[in-house]
Amino acid sequence: MTPGDEVVVALDVGGTGMKCALVRPDGATVHAERHATDAARGPEAVVGTILDVAEGLAGKARADGRTPVACGIAVPGVVDEARGVAVWSANVGFRDVHLRDLARERLGLPTALGHDVRVGGLAEARLGAGRDAGHVLFVAIGTGIAAAHVVDGSAAVGAHGAAGEIGHILVRPDGPRCGCGRPGCLEALASASAIGRRYAELSGAPATAAEVADRAAAGEPLAGRVWGEAVEALADGLATGQALFDVATIVIGGGLAQAGPRLFDPLGTALRERLTFHREPRLVAAALGDEAGCLGAALLALDTLAKESR
Ligand SMILES: [Zn+2]
């Protein structure tokens, strides 16, 4: 066996699908597969699928002459990485699932459990759009908004596994109610779903955030207003992030980043207007797409392995 044969079994479990891969220590994916999460079956069935898929991947690695050395699993919600517990998840239904130990027992491999956005940030900071910066804030904007603060290749977890919840920064005290129950959270104003919802509210016609961006660019006043308000709110949130973390690079990922210059041009300007003595971060689009979670799960597993063998 040569070191080049070693791979990590990596899974990124989302509300609808699981992205799974065998990843080499240098970050190269040698095999990828996708499976349905089918969360409606309940958390126990989902855990069963996760373990079956992970075991299948380890078997696939061995059949191909490779050596699986560790397993990394990323899940959404609140994740206690130190204890390896999926504490809570709205879209998968996890409640205190000891996923790390279950996978370790099944596979017989050192296993790490991580938060999907935090490991996504880890991957973007080490392998993607933030790779030349020591201090990176990764912000994923989709149905919600969450962030990962990565310093020298390691993501802050927080005392309770809940660091990076930038979507719940209060930006408009009189704003729409957030899913967390409080009015005015960033997520309730600037997530892709919030943008679609706001446009539908004002126009009476449903639209996705991407359609709002298109219509704003085409000069439709209502779309321009909705898009502009979301960008302003986002800039408020990012300015708070920059005041707290003083990063070199802010990487924007998730569905909203697909809007490209329609997002990044006005957002860069609005962020600049809000900074006084703080240094302006580089504002860039994520580079790894929806593979970031899987690659990050692999990186977290390799970090765990390195710590254990020390
Ligand atoms: Zn909230």
Side-chain angles (χ1 to χ4, degrees):
M1 187 190 88
T2 64
D5 295 332
E6 294 183 347
V7 288
V8 177
V9 173
L11 288 86
D12 176 16
V13 180
T16 53
M18 300 179 193
K19 291 147 210 149
C20 316
L22 294 171
V23 180
R24 282 200 327 225
D26 64 0
T29 297
V30 296
H31 170 78
E33 49 190 68
R34 293 189 179 218
H35 299 269
T37 301
D38 202 359
R41 297 176 300 151
E44 268 180 46
V46 173
V47 168
T49 303
I50 290 169
L51 298 177
D52 290 347
V53 168
E55 193 174 33
L57 280 165
K60 158 83 181 152
R62 291 190 186 99
D64 292 347
R66 303 180 198 277
T67 308
V69 291
C71 174
I73 303 173
V75 297
V78 177
V79 182
D80 185 335
E81 294 188 5
R83 290 168 57 234
V85 177
V87 177
W88 182 89
S89 154
N91 47 6
V92 188
F94 293 143
R95 299 287 183 274
D96 287 312
V97 178
H98 291 245
L99 201 46
R100 182 188 63 194
D101 290 349
L102 289 169
R104 190 160 54 190
E105 272 163 38
R106 176 76 81 89
L107 302 180
L109 295 174
T111 300
L113 182 71
H115 178 261
D116 56 355
V117 174
R118 278 201 296 270
V119 300
L122 204 60
E124 285 291 346
R126 279 158 64 170
L127 304 169
R131 69 185 171 279
D132 298 322
H135 295 252
V136 176
L137 184 66
F138 171 67
V139 183
I141 310 172
T143 51
I145 300 180
H149 179 215
V150 185
V151 177
D152 294 334
S154 133
V157 174
H160 314 93
E165 292 286 0
I166 199 173
H168 302 282
I169 287 179
L170 179 62
V171 290
R172 300 285 181 274
D174 55 350
R177 191 165 292 276
C178 177
C180 76
R182 188 181 67 176
C185 289
L186 176 59
E187 185 170 298
L189 288 128
S191 65
S193 24
I195 293 169
R197 200 163 50 230
R198 178 72 176 144
Y199 183 85
E201 214 174 82
L202 296 175
S203 71
T208 64
E211 287 163 351
V212 175
D214 286 346
R215 289 173 199 175
E220 188 198 298
L222 181 61
R225 180 184 145 197
V226 170
W227 188 253
E229 285 172 0
V231 166
E232 295 285 314
L234 204 50
D236 285 335
L238 295 185
T240 299
Q242 184 62 1
L244 287 171
F245 302 130
D246 181 31
V247 295
T249 303
I250 295 180
V251 179
I252 307 282
L256 209 68
Q258 309 286 326
R262 290 167 190 185
L263 174 68
F264 286 89
D265 291 351
L267 184 58
T269 305
L271 177 58
R272 207 167 300 130
E273 285 168 2
R274 285 159 173 76
L275 301 175
T276 53
F277 63 91
H278 291 105
R279 295 283 293 276
E280 187 183 339
R282 211 162 60 95
L283 189 64
V284 294
L288 302 173
D290 69 358
E291 283 179 49
C294 217
L295 290 171
L299 291 175
L300 190 68
L302 287 165
D303 291 352
T304 305
L305 196 61
K307 265 184 220 149
E308 284 181 11
S309 60
R310 229 179 259 152

